[in-house]
Amino acid sequence: MTDCARAVWGVNGTVWQVLTPEYGFLLRCEIHKKNFRIIIPPIVGKVVEVPEEKGVPTHVVNDLGLLKNWLLTLAPLI
């Protein structure tokens, strides 16, 4: 979870809340003035069903490298 938060901070984002619901860790983030949710499943590779939140994109993290690549795709939002 700490590595995921550091990846968010690496793109000048902010992790403003960390929760531990039944489907894993939930990081609420602001990246380039947009809110996102990042889900880290309790077991890597496990398929989880996450309740949707209207207007808040969600990314499920199964691999730190994939998270970093996804964060880089947000660069045009700057």
Side-chain angles (χ1 to χ4, degrees), residues 1-10 15 27 29 38-40 61-64 67-68 71:
M1 179 195 53
T2 304
D3 290 338
C4 292
R6 285 186 182 134
V8 171
W9 297 329
V15 176
L27 283 70
C29 310
I38 297 176
I39 308 296
I40 306 167
V61 175
N62 285 312
D63 179 273
L64 185 59
L67 171 64
K68 289 178 180 180
L71 291 169

Side-chain angles (χ1 to χ4, degrees), residues 23-77:
Y23 48 80
F25 288 101
L26 165 62
L27 283 70
R28 293 185 181 275
C29 310
E30 183 180 286
I31 304 168
H32 308 304
K33 299 185 181 185
K34 290 188 151 257
N35 287 323
F36 293 91
R37 296 185 315 158
I38 297 176
I39 308 296
I40 306 167
I43 300 170
V44 174
K46 180 180 180 184
V47 176
V48 294
E49 289 192 29
V50 180
E52 289 188 33
E53 281 185 24
K54 188 175 181 179
V56 181
T58 301
H59 186 72
V60 178
V61 175
N62 285 312
D63 179 273
L64 185 59
L66 293 175
L67 171 64
K68 289 178 180 180
N69 288 341
W70 177 73
L71 291 169
L72 290 175
T73 66
L74 301 176
L77 296 176

